[in-house]
Amino acid sequence: MHRSASRLTRILACAAVPVMLVVAGCSSDSDGDKDADKTASASPEPTKTEPAVEPAKFAALPDPCASVEAKTVKSLVPSAKKKSGTRSKSGDASLRGGCSWNGLDDKGVKGSQYRWLDVGFTRFDSDQTLGSGASRAGEELAKQVKKAEATDDAKNVASAAVTGIGDEATKVTYEQNKTGETFRFTTIVVRTENVVVVVNYNGAGYAGSKTPSAETVLKGAAMAARDAVAAVAEANESAPASPKATEKTKDGKKDGDTDKASDTSSKKPSAKSGSSAGKKSSD
C-alpha cells in the first residue's frame, strides 16, 4: 500500500509540470500582445512646417544705365561726359546695380553749371527667416533715408514723404559747401514692391553762375526716380516670377540661400575741380 501511494504521488507531480508551463506561456504571450498593441497604436510625430511668407513680386532689375530715359538724362545733365552713363560694379546684377552721369555745362562768360545724377537699385527676395521681399525693402528704405540725413557737412537737411512715386518714397534735401561753391542735393529713396531705388541729384554754379534752386534739383530727382521705377516694372513684364520663400521645418533645415543686400553709399564732392565736385554714387 505504501509503495503504491509513492508511485501515485510521482505521477501526479509529473503531470502538473506541463500545466504550469502552459499557464506561464499564456501569461507571457498576453503581455507581449499588450506591448505590441501599444507599439502599433503609437504614431510618429508629424513634421511641422511654418507657413511661407509672401513671395517677392519682382525677380529682375533693369539695366541701370538704361533705367533713366535718354531725354531725362539730357535735361538733367546737359553736358554729361558719358551719355550712356558709368555703370557701378556689382557682384550680382539681379540683386543690385547702379549708374551715374555727370558733366560741366560751360557757358563762357556767363559761368558754368555742374550736374551729377546717379541711380541705384537693390532687390530683395522673400526669406522665411528674414521676411517678405517687400518688408525687407521697406527696412532698406528707412536705412537709406537715415544715411542721407546723416551726410557729412550737410546743411539745412530736411526730409519728407513723396507721393506718386512707387509704393512709398521719401525725399531728403540739403546743401554742402565744396570747392568754394554751394551745392544743392536731393536724394529720393523709393520702394516699389521688393525693390529699393535710390536717386541722387545735385548741382552747383561756377564762375559767377547761380546755384540751381532747391526746387529745380528736387524736380529733376523726382523725374529720374519716376523713370527708374517704371524701368523696374518693365524689366519684369517678361521675367519669371520670383521664387517662393523657402519653408523652414521644425528641425531648422531649409533650402536656398539668404540674399544679402549691399548698402548704397555716397561719395563726397571732390575739391580738385568743378567737374568732379558734387559726386555721389551707389556702391
Side-chain angles (χ1 to χ4, degrees):
M1 184 69 179
H2 176 72
R3 183 177 302 175
S4 298
S6 298
R7 182 178 180 184
L8 179 59
T9 300
R10 286 197 299 271
I11 291 173
L12 291 175
C14 291
V17 172
V19 174
M20 294 175 63
L21 290 177
V22 169
V23 172
C26 291
S27 177
S28 176
D29 289 344
S30 176
D31 292 341
D33 291 341
K34 290 180 180 179
D35 291 340
D37 290 341
K38 290 180 180 180
T39 303
S41 63
S43 59
E45 184 178 352
T47 301
K48 296 182 179 179
T49 302
E50 297 178 6
V53 297
E54 181 182 2
K57 180 175 181 178
F58 295 135
L61 291 179
D63 177 347
C65 290
S67 64
V68 180
E69 294 186 13
K71 64 180 181 180
T72 302
V73 173
K74 184 177 180 180
S75 173
L76 302 185
V77 191
S79 297
K81 293 179 181 179
K82 189 176 179 181
K83 302 296 182 181
S84 60
T86 301
R87 191 183 305 275
S88 62
K89 294 181 179 180
S90 175
D92 188 341
S94 71
L95 295 177
R96 61 190 63 83
C99 193
S100 63
W101 300 261
N102 71 92
L104 183 68
D105 187 13
D106 189 350
K107 298 183 181 298
V109 295
K110 295 183 179 180
S112 302
Q113 286 288 324
Y114 175 78
R115 296 291 186 272
W116 169 274
L117 169 68
D118 76 57
V119 58
F121 298 87
T122 306
R123 185 180 66 81
F124 296 86
D125 282 324
S126 294
D127 182 274
Q128 186 65 30
T129 302
L130 302 178
S132 69
S135 66
R136 296 177 66 197
E139 293 172 357
E140 178 68 9
L141 180 146
K143 180 179 179 181
Q144 291 300 328
V145 169
K146 289 182 179 180
K147 188 172 184 178
E149 293 173 334
T151 300
D152 293 340
D153 302 321
K155 299 179 180 180
N156 302 320
V157 179
S159 58
V162 178
T163 59
I165 306 178
D167 295 303
E168 57 179 319
T170 301
K171 65 180 179 180
V172 181
T173 58
Y174 56 94
E175 298 175 0
Q176 281 185 322
N177 292 322
K178 298 293 178 182
T179 65
E181 305 294 343
T182 298
F183 282 77
R184 285 207 167 93
F185 290 78
T186 292
T187 295
I188 295 182
V189 187
V190 185
R191 179 185 71 81
T192 174
E193 292 290 346
N194 57 307
V195 174
V196 173
V197 180
V198 180
V199 172
N200 295 301
Y201 185 50
N202 66 75
Y206 280 88
S209 184
K210 293 182 179 180
T211 299
S213 68
E215 182 181 357
T216 296
V217 176
L218 173 59
K219 183 178 179 180
M223 188 185 305
R226 282 191 287 269
D227 281 3
V229 169
V232 173
E234 291 172 4
N236 286 272
E237 287 180 352
S238 59
S242 183
K244 291 184 178 180
T246 303
E247 292 186 350
K248 182 178 178 183
T249 58
K250 185 178 179 181
D251 60 6
K253 295 181 181 179
K254 63 178 182 177
D255 296 327
D257 296 325
T258 299
D259 295 321
K260 297 181 180 179
S262 63
D263 294 339
T264 301
S265 61
S266 303
K267 296 183 180 179
K268 295 182 183 178
S270 170
K272 292 184 180 179
S273 66
S275 63
S276 61
K279 184 177 181 182
K280 189 168 185 179
S281 61
S282 300
D283 290 342

